[in-house]
């Protein structure tokens, strides 16, 4: 069955998927962590209570989480075109990927930070710790294992999102499976792409779990 | 050192509830260098009171003066500086589990902006002080409760505070560990002359360490004075009830106040599994270790405990305790001298 597989195409698509997921994971963390921090510290009774800001950030996050990913891709075609110059290819696909995953990760970050016992935050405040130091030296380090395991979950989600983005011209394994596998009646190609996607998910999960275990001192 | 003047603290009403008055007409004057206890049942307002002192809570009305400064008039920056001079330890320790013992103590120095060299020397000195030098690189999850509290104490003392607040600091610890932590606090008080404010619901803690005490009930300070006066001649009904209840609890444990007060050594309660054989071993072991075993109470019913007063060297008593723990159903240390 696999003798009809175009290996050059497979490797190229795998590279595109890794590229898309890699770039969007980095930016997802870059946007998701500050958003998650904001959601927590601006909440009522927390270290920087800003009820208006909290509600606004919450609403934006909820909006992006509510729109189905495939619709988000279509919505964001113009944005990708404006930022990247094209709405096709793996680089353009990172725009909806980040827009879809960052709010998702922000909620995970929020949960992770809220799990830190309030007493620890209060102890830090009682020792004269500034707000910035509470975030830098208490919230983030204490939540690091949860942030890493959350990023692993997000990364796995991004892999499946990337396969969908592929179908609308983003490239990568999803695109290859659909166009050169499904539409070309090449079952070998279709299954090979699927197997590689699954393998990628396993690999990411395994690495993520290993890092989380090392970081967790509880 | 610490003055509270006509403090009211009212938590405003939320939807569906009426406002709650946590503190009413609280006046308190805690002198420099004394160990002051605040005792009361949970919900009496003692936690709120303690948190007024370091500005974690602000009073609805009234003034909080610490070391000549009115806390509510301080700017954010001044308040942070004032807080570095008010150490606090907690019931649940509140250590950072992602940091080692050493790094936890360094934390309070880091946030106070001390230099690396200064932090290095000070942390080692503090760990020495609380007897944890050999555990410097352990994580909190690898420590016992007593050790965690020692880290908490070292952390609280890092910036040479003038005041140490203890928020139910021994309530999560067993009696033996409680005794050793109270001893450490007593030593620190002796060496540093620091002002200490303890809140607790345990009369025994106040008795063993405090010079003066305030009794709180339902947001009011109902009685205040020297520890011996307040507990031996309680005037307010709620204090009387508190004293009676504590005595009853001690009696329920099978050891009355009269007994523990007269004890010469470590008082233990033991539920025997096999009375005759353990009795024989106990005799041999205590003789070998040079420990006098005084029977304070006993019973021939298997379900009831015996109470012993073990008098001897620390090592000897520990040896006898080990034997009892191995052979008896349950062994409970009531007091440690």
């Amino acid at each position: 069955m696999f003798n009809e597989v175009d290996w050059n195409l497979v490797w190229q698509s795998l590279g595109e998927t890794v590229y898309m997921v890699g770039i969007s994971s980095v930016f997802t963390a870059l946007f998701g962590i500050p958003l998650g921090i904001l959601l927590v510290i601006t909440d009522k009774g927390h270290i920087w209570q800003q009820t208006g800001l909290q509600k606004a950030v919450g609403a934006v996050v909820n909006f992006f989480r509510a729109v189905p990913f495939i619709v988000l891709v279509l919505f964001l075609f113009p944005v990708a075109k404006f930022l990247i110059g094209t709405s096709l290819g793996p680089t353009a696909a990172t725009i909806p990927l980040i827009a879809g995953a960052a709010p998702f990760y922000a909620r995970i970050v929020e949960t992770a930070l809220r799990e830190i016992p309030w007493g620890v935050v209060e102890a830090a405040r009682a020792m004269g710790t500034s707000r910035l130091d509470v975030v830098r030296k208490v919230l983030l380090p204490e939540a690091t294992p949860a942030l890493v395991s959350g990023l692993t979950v997000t990364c796995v989600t991004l892999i499946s999102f990337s396969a969908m983005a592929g179908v609308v011209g983003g490239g990568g394994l999803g695109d290859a499976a659909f166009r050169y596998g499904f539409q070309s009646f090449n079952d070998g190609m279709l299954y090979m792409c699927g197997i590689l996607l699954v393998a990628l998910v396993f690999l990411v999960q395994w690495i993520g779990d290993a890092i989380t275990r090392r970081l967790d001192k509880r | 050192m610490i003055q509270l003047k006509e403090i009211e603290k009212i938590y405003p009403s939320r939807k569906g509830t009426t406002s709650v008055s946590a503190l009413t007409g609280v006046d308190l004057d805690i002198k420099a260098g004394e160990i002051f206890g605040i005792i009361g049942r949970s919900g009496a307002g003692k936690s709120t009171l303690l948190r007024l002192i370091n500005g974690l809570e602000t009073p609805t009305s009234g003034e909080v003066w610490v070391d000549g400064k009115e806390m509510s008039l301080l700017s954010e920056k001044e308040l942070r500086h004032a807080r570095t001079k008010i150490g606090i330890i907690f019931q649940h320790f509140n250590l950072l589990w992602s940091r080692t013992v050493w790094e936890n103590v360094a934390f309070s120095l880091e946030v106070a902006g001390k230099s690396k060299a200064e932090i290095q020397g000070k942390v080692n000195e503090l760990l020495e002080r609380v007897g944890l030098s050999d555990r410097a690189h352990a994580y909190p999850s690898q420590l016992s409760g007593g050790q965690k509290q020692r880290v908490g104490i070292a952390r609280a003392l890092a910036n040479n505070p003038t005041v140490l607040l203890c928020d139910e600091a021994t309530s999560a610890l067993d009696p033996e560990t409680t005794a050793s932590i109270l001893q450490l606090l007593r030593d620190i008080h002796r060496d540093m002359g620091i002002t200490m404010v303890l809140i607790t619901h345990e009369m025994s803690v106040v008795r063993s360490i405090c010079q003066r005490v305030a009794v709180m009930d339902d947001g009011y300070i109902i009685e205040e004075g020297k520890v011996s006066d307040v507990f031996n001649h309680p005037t307010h009904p709620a204090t009387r009830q508190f004293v009676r209840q504590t005595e009853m609890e001690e009696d329920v444990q099978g050891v009355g106040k009269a007994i523990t007060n007269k004890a010469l050594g470590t008082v233990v309660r033991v539920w025997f599994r096999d009375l005759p054989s353990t009795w024989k071993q106990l005799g041999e072991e205590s003789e070998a270790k040079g420990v006098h075993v005084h029977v304070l109470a006993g019973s021939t019913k298997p379900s009831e405990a015996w109470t012993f007063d073990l008098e001897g060297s620390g090592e000897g008593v520990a040896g006898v305790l080990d034997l009892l723990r191995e052979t008896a159903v349950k062994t409970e240390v009531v007091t440690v001298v």
Side-chain angles (χ1 to χ4, degrees):
Chain A
M1 180 169 89
F2 290 118
N3 49 17
E4 283 176 57
V5 173
D6 179 347
W7 290 103
N8 280 334
L9 190 63
V10 167
W11 298 134
Q12 192 205 328
S13 303
L14 176 65
E16 283 170 0
T17 294
V18 171
Y19 167 81
M20 269 193 287
V21 172
I23 300 260
S24 20
S25 293
V26 169
F27 279 94
T28 294
L30 243 41
F31 289 114
I33 292 174
L35 279 175
I37 292 171
L38 267 185
L39 281 171
V40 173
I41 65 171
T42 56
D43 203 1
K44 216 173 169 203
H46 217 284
I47 58 171
W48 192 50
Q49 184 174 328
Q50 298 285 335
T51 322
L53 183 61
Q54 214 266 348
K55 290 218 169 88
V57 175
V60 171
V61 165
N62 282 347
F63 174 79
F64 279 96
R65 296 245 290 135
V67 179
F69 181 68
I70 200 76
V71 180
L72 200 60
V73 172
L74 304 176
F75 275 6
L76 291 177
F77 268 168
V79 179
K81 187 136 194 170
F82 175 74
L83 287 175
I84 317 282
T86 173
S87 56
L88 292 173
T91 309
T94 59
I95 301 294
L97 284 176
I98 296 164
F104 174 72
Y105 187 50
R107 286 294 183 198
I108 294 181
V109 172
E110 183 191 4
T111 311
L113 297 181
R114 284 191 198 280
E115 284 197 355
I116 299 167
W118 177 243
V120 174
V121 177
E122 222 180 40
R125 292 294 280 166
M127 286 185 269
T129 313
S130 64
R131 291 191 180 96
L132 184 64
D133 274 351
V134 170
V135 173
R136 282 194 319 161
K137 289 173 183 281
V138 179
L139 294 181
L140 289 178
E142 290 289 289
T144 300
L147 296 184
V148 171
S149 70
L151 193 58
T152 309
V153 172
T154 310
C155 200
V156 167
T157 311
L158 274 171
I159 294 171
S160 84
F161 278 3
S162 82
M164 258 193 280
V167 176
V168 287
L173 286 167
D175 191 22
F178 186 64
R179 281 199 291 162
Y180 306 106
F182 183 73
Q183 286 186 328
S184 315
F185 304 102
N186 183 340
D187 281 356
M189 195 68 189
L190 177 62
Y191 287 113
M192 198 59 227
C193 292
I195 289 167
L196 281 177
L197 280 170
V198 171
L200 202 56
V201 168
F202 272 70
L203 183 71
V204 165
Q205 190 67 50
W206 180 70
I207 294 172
D209 285 349
I211 297 176
T212 306
R213 257 200 311 279
R214 281 203 76 159
L215 291 171
D216 202 338
K217 311 286 186 203
R218 263 178 293 200
Chain B
M1 190 57 158
I2 301 167
Q3 284 98 27
L4 306 185
K5 295 178 184 165
E6 289 168 50
I7 300 287
E8 307 276 336
K9 176 70 187 179
I10 298 162
Y11 292 106
S13 57
R14 285 195 202 160
K15 249 182 235 164
T17 60
T18 51
S19 59
V20 182
S21 205
L23 294 172
T24 314
V26 169
D27 280 290
L28 211 55
D29 187 357
I30 298 171
K31 297 186 177 54
E34 78 173 330
I35 306 184
F36 193 91
I38 298 168
I39 191 167
R41 278 187 288 267
S42 52
K46 53 193 195 304
S47 249
T48 309
L49 198 157
L50 196 77
R51 294 148 56 88
L52 288 171
I53 297 172
N54 63 11
L56 281 180
E57 296 267 7
T58 48
T60 310
S61 70
E63 295 173 8
V64 180
W65 292 81
V66 180
D67 210 0
K69 288 186 246 48
E70 220 277 75
M71 296 302 276
S72 63
L73 297 178
L74 298 180
S75 68
E76 164 92 22
K77 208 177 153 200
E78 288 167 328
L79 180 62
R80 270 180 22 221
H81 180 74
R83 280 173 176 171
T84 62
K85 294 291 168 194
I86 306 174
I88 181 164
I89 56 175
F90 303 90
Q91 177 174 10
H92 297 298
F93 325 118
N94 294 339
L95 302 177
L96 298 165
W97 62 257
S98 61
R99 286 178 171 235
T100 61
V101 166
W102 201 95
E103 293 163 343
N104 262 289
V105 179
F107 179 89
S108 40
L109 294 157
E110 278 171 34
V111 299
K114 296 282 156 61
S115 73
K116 278 232 163 76
E118 230 175 317
I119 293 175
Q120 184 81 28
K122 187 75 186 170
V123 173
N124 291 338
E125 176 196 322
L126 286 159
L127 289 180
E128 183 87 23
R129 183 77 192 77
V130 300
L132 276 180
S133 300
D134 56 329
R135 304 292 281 151
H137 301 295
Y139 285 91
S141 60
Q142 299 164 313
L143 302 180
S144 68
Q147 288 173 325
K148 282 184 199 150
Q149 195 57 289
R150 283 167 189 272
V151 179
I153 292 171
R155 180 176 74 172
L157 296 176
N159 291 307
N160 301 318
T162 47
V163 175
L164 179 63
L165 308 176
C166 308
D167 184 355
E168 297 273 8
T170 57
S171 299
L173 304 173
D174 62 62
E176 267 175 285
T177 315
T178 295
S180 76
I181 292 293
L182 291 178
Q183 187 56 49
L184 177 63
L185 291 176
R186 234 180 262 127
D187 292 346
I188 286 163
H189 177 258
R190 186 194 59 212
D191 300 344
M192 294 177 64
I194 194 171
T195 310
M196 301 214 295
V197 184
L198 268 89
I199 64 170
T200 180
H201 63 272
E202 294 171 311
M203 239 175 66
S204 56
V205 168
V206 172
R207 269 226 177 89
S208 89
I209 190 170
C210 296
Q211 294 146 359
R212 285 201 303 146
V213 64
V215 185
M216 292 199 68
D217 190 47
D218 204 20
Y220 293 86
I221 291 185
I222 54 171
E223 209 156 339
E224 190 195 331
K226 278 172 66 182
V227 171
S228 51
D229 293 346
V230 171
F231 288 154
N232 294 341
H233 313 285
T235 53
H236 194 281
T239 315
R240 242 177 273 158
Q241 201 199 342
F242 208 95
V243 171
R244 203 178 320 135
Q245 201 181 336
T246 312
E247 275 171 2
M248 261 166 59
E249 273 162 18
E250 282 174 1
D251 282 338
V252 168
Q253 282 178 3
V255 191
K257 196 178 78 187
I259 291 178
T260 47
N261 281 355
K262 281 180 202 149
L264 301 165
T266 305
V267 177
V268 281
R269 304 214 305 136
V270 183
W271 286 261
F272 286 105
R273 179 173 285 116
D274 178 4
L275 182 57
S277 80
T278 309
W279 192 257
K280 191 160 163 272
Q281 283 174 291
L282 179 61
E284 287 161 2
E285 180 75 10
S286 57
E287 199 174 323
K289 293 271 159 66
V291 176
H292 293 285
V293 179
H294 309 283
V295 179
L296 300 179
S299 168
T300 50
K301 284 188 199 155
S303 62
E304 288 180 9
W306 287 67
T307 307
F308 298 110
D309 178 6
L310 305 176
E311 187 194 357
S313 67
E315 210 177 310
V317 171
V320 174
L321 281 175
D322 282 345
L323 168 80
L324 290 172
R325 286 200 179 105
E326 267 168 41
T327 52
V329 175
K330 193 178 159 201
T331 304
E332 200 177 86
V333 176
V334 181
T335 59
V336 182
V337 170

